[in-house]
Amino acid sequence: MPLRDSACSACVSRTFLRSWRCHPKLIFSEETLGLKQKEGQNIDIARGFTSRVDHILKNHSDTGVKILKFVIRDHYNVDTCHLNSWLQKAITPGIEEVTLLLPTKYRKMYEVPCSALLDGCGNSIWYLYLTNCAFRPPVGFDCLRSLTKLHLYGVCITGDELGHLISNCFALEELEVSCCMKLICLEIPFWLERLSCLTVSQCDKLRVIKSTAPHLSIFDFFGEPVQLVLGESSKVKDLRVGYSFAPNAVSYAITKLPFIAPHLETLTVYSFCERVSTPMVADKFLHIKHLNIYLGEDDGGAVTPAYDYLSLASFLDACPVLESFILSVDQSDMRHDSVFEDPSSHLRQIPEHRRHERLKKVQIDGFCSAKSVVELTCHILKNATSLESLTLDCIFGAEAVGQSVRCSAPESGKCMPTSRRMILEAHKALSAVKRYILEKVPSSVKLNVGGPCTRCHVMDVMLPQVYNM
C-alpha cells in the first residue's frame, strides 16, 4: 500500500494504526516511500527521503520488525547521524534481516555502529548484507549468533576484524565477500561447521585464503591470484575460479587444483587471457564429472593466436570420470589459423590418447573455424565412446541452438548485437562443421549446430572458397 494510503487508513482505523506501527517489514527506498519522480514532477527526493524515514520510525512502536532494508542513492546526501539513529531505532530484538545498500562515497565516511547490535539486538539476525561502509567488530564480538548468511560488498574491514565478526557465528552457512579492499588474509576457522558456500570476489589486496571449515562444498573465487589453502580434509565439490588480469587460469587449474581441492566434482574456470597451451599433467581430478571452461576477452584478446585449443584434451585426460564438458569462447575476432587456410594440411591427432569413456555431453559455445578447435572436436568424437550429444554454437551467447530464427533477448525480441566479423566467422564455422565434423559424428550422437540468426544476422556473405565443397 502506498505511504499516503497507509497514512489515511491509519487516521480512520485504530486497528490499522496499531498494525502499521508494528509493521514487521520496513523497506525504505524511492519506490516504497513514493518518491520516484514521474514526468512533470519536481520532488526534492533527498529531503523527502530523510523526512519520511524519520517520520515512519518516529511513529513505529520499536517492536515486531523482522526485515529492515535501506536503499540509499548517491544524490540523497543522507547524514551519517541519521543513519546511526535509524539503525539504533529499527534494530531491535527479534529482527531477522538487515540490508544496508549505500553508494560508493560512504565507504570512507560511514562506519556501521556495532553498538546497534548489542544487548541481544543482533542475536536474532540470520541475514546481514552491507555495502560501501566500514564495519569494525572488536575482539570478542558476539552479537550475531543466529547469522546464516553474510554478504559484504565494498566494506572496509580487515582480515582480523572479519575474523572477530564470524568467529562466533556458529550458524553461518553462506559467506560472500566482494570488493573489500582492506582484506589481505581471509581465514575461515574449523568450528564453522555449517559453512557450505564461500564467495570471494575482486578483493584486490587479498593474498591468502585459508579455510578449515569441514563442510565447505561450494567455493567461488574471482580476482587476482592468491595462495589458496583448503586443508587436507577439504570437501569442496563445486569450484569456480577466475582471474581478473593475470593470465593462464586454465594452466593454473590443471596444475594446482588437484592438490588443493582433490574432491572436486564440478569445476568452472574463467580465463580472460590464456597465453600458454594447457600442459599435460600426471595428476588427476579423480571425481570431476562436470568441467566448464570459459575463455573470455580482455583488451588484449581472450586467447592469444599461439594458444592451441587441442591442448585442452589434456584436461579431459586428467578427468577420468568426466560426464559433461562445456567450452565457451567469447572473442570478437578469431585470430587463430583457420582450418581453411591450408586445405592440403591434415588435421592433427594425439598419438597417445586416453578414452573418455564416461563423457556424454559436450558443448562448444562460440565454435569457430580455428584449426585447433576443429581438431579438438574431432578428438572428442573419436575418443568419447559414450557420447550422447554434441552442441556446436557458432554465435557466442546465443540461445535456441539449431533453429534458423533464434531471437532470444526477452525485451527486444532480437538477438544481442553481433559484429560483422563474428557473423562472417560464424559462416566459416558452419562450413567447417560440414566439411570436417559432420561425417565423423556417430549415428548414436545427437548433433546440435547453431549458426547466425536468419532474422538478426542477415548479411551478404561471399565465401566461394569455403562453400564450394
Side-chain angles (χ1 to χ4, degrees):
M1 181 180 293
L3 183 66
R4 182 183 300 274
D5 295 341
S6 299
C8 292
S9 300
C11 292
V12 299
S13 171
R14 290 186 178 182
T15 302
F16 189 89
L17 177 61
R18 287 193 296 270
S19 67
W20 189 29
R21 287 178 173 176
C22 299
H23 193 66
K25 188 174 182 180
L26 299 180
I27 299 178
F28 299 110
S29 65
E30 284 184 7
E31 293 76 13
T32 60
L33 295 177
L35 292 172
K36 195 164 185 179
Q37 192 164 335
K38 299 179 181 179
E39 187 176 353
Q41 285 184 328
N42 185 16
I43 300 176
D44 187 347
I45 296 179
R47 183 181 300 176
F49 186 90
T50 299
S51 63
R52 293 191 183 187
V53 174
D54 275 339
H55 178 74
I56 291 173
L57 290 180
K58 181 180 179 180
N59 288 279
H60 202 274
S61 63
D62 295 345
T63 60
V65 178
K66 298 295 184 182
I67 298 174
L68 176 65
K69 182 175 182 178
F70 289 98
V71 183
I72 298 177
R73 307 296 183 187
D74 186 68
H75 56 278
Y76 292 179
N77 296 318
V78 175
D79 190 276
T80 56
C81 293
H82 285 291
L83 285 174
N84 285 341
S85 174
W86 295 342
L87 292 178
Q88 295 281 3
K89 174 79 173 177
I91 297 179
T92 57
I95 192 169
E96 297 177 353
E97 301 180 32
V98 176
T99 300
L100 182 59
L101 304 182
L102 299 175
T104 307
K105 66 181 181 181
Y106 281 83
R107 288 187 188 181
K108 296 182 179 180
M109 59 185 288
Y110 183 64
E111 180 177 334
V112 174
C114 293
S115 59
L117 303 172
L118 298 177
D119 300 326
C121 293
N123 282 330
S124 57
I125 297 175
W126 66 267
Y127 177 76
L128 179 62
Y129 188 1
L130 303 178
T131 72
N132 297 319
C133 59
F135 193 35
R136 307 196 181 283
V139 177
F141 185 78
D142 185 18
C143 300
L144 295 168
R145 298 176 186 175
S146 300
L147 193 66
T148 59
K149 292 185 179 182
L150 174 62
H151 292 185
L152 303 177
Y153 178 88
V155 174
C156 294
I157 187 170
T158 66
D160 289 339
E161 290 165 344
L162 183 57
H164 301 157
L165 172 61
I166 65 175
S167 60
N168 292 304
C169 298
F170 301 108
L172 192 63
E173 298 175 1
E174 181 180 309
L175 173 61
E176 182 174 334
V177 182
S178 301
C179 300
C180 295
M181 301 307 178
K182 290 190 176 295
L183 277 182
I184 298 175
C185 179
L186 172 60
E187 294 194 43
I188 310 296
F190 68 89
W191 56 82
L192 297 186
E193 295 185 353
R194 296 186 181 182
L195 185 67
S196 61
C197 182
L198 172 64
T199 299
V200 181
S201 175
Q202 306 299 332
C203 298
D204 293 348
K205 294 185 179 180
L206 189 63
R207 295 294 176 264
V208 180
I209 299 177
K210 296 181 180 179
S211 173
T212 52
H215 297 110
L216 181 64
S217 59
I218 301 174
F219 179 36
D220 295 348
F221 173 79
F222 304 96
E224 292 299 289
V226 299
Q227 180 185 357
L228 182 59
V229 182
L230 296 180
E232 295 181 358
S233 60
S234 169
K235 294 184 179 180
V236 174
K237 296 182 179 181
D238 189 340
L239 174 62
R240 295 196 300 168
V241 59
Y243 293 155
S244 301
F245 303 105
N248 306 322
V250 175
S251 294
Y252 164 83
I254 194 173
T255 55
K256 302 296 184 182
L257 292 183
F259 309 100
I260 297 174
H263 300 289
L264 283 179
E265 295 182 3
T266 300
L267 173 61
T268 303
V269 183
Y270 296 86
S271 177
F272 295 94
C273 185
E274 204 67 22
R275 295 176 181 171
V276 299
S277 297
T278 308
M280 295 290 295
V281 294
D283 300 289
K284 304 295 182 183
F285 294 95
L286 298 178
H287 305 284
I288 284 186
K289 297 180 180 180
H290 310 286
L291 174 63
N292 310 307
I293 296 178
Y294 172 89
L295 302 178
E297 186 169 44
D298 63 3
D299 294 336
V303 186
T304 60
Y307 183 77
D308 186 359
Y309 289 98
L310 181 58
S311 68
L312 286 171
S314 63
F315 221 133
L316 303 182
D317 287 346
C319 304
V321 297
L322 190 66
E323 296 180 2
S324 71
F325 172 53
I326 298 177
L327 172 63
S328 299
V329 182
D330 181 9
Q331 56 185 357
S332 59
D333 186 15
M334 200 282 288
R335 298 181 294 163
H336 289 72
D337 292 337
S338 173
V339 71
F340 296 109
E341 288 183 4
D342 186 3
S344 62
S345 65
H346 297 285
L347 296 181
R348 294 173 298 162
Q349 297 184 21
I350 301 176
E352 296 181 3
H353 57 80
R354 182 185 300 275
R355 296 286 183 182
H356 314 305
E357 297 179 348
R358 301 193 183 186
L359 188 57
K360 298 179 181 180
K361 176 184 176 182
V362 174
Q363 178 176 332
I364 301 180
D365 191 11
F367 180 84
C368 60
S369 67
K371 183 180 178 182
S372 60
V373 171
V374 175
E375 290 170 334
L376 174 64
T377 307
C378 293
H379 169 83
I380 292 172
L381 284 170
K382 181 179 180 180
N383 296 287
T385 54
S386 300
L387 192 64
E388 296 177 356
S389 70
L390 172 64
T391 300
L392 306 175
D393 199 332
C394 304
I395 299 291
F396 175 82
E399 298 180 4
V401 173
Q403 297 183 15
S404 59
V405 177
R406 38 195 294 163
C407 304
S408 56
E411 295 181 359
S412 64
K414 296 181 180 180
C415 296
M416 297 295 292
T418 304
S419 68
R420 179 180 177 85
R421 287 185 298 181
M422 183 178 290
I423 296 174
L424 290 173
E425 173 55 36
H427 284 281
K428 289 184 179 180
L430 284 177
S431 187
V433 172
K434 296 175 183 177
R435 179 177 292 186
Y436 295 100
I437 295 174
L438 192 58
E439 63 181 10
K440 294 181 173 62
V441 179
S443 58
S444 58
V445 176
K446 182 180 179 181
L447 177 63
N448 305 297
V449 180
C453 176
T454 56
R455 179 182 300 167
C456 303
H457 303 147
V458 176
M459 63 172 58
D460 293 330
V461 179
M462 298 298 294
L463 297 170
Q465 73 277 16
V466 175
Y467 283 106
N468 292 337
M469 295 184 289

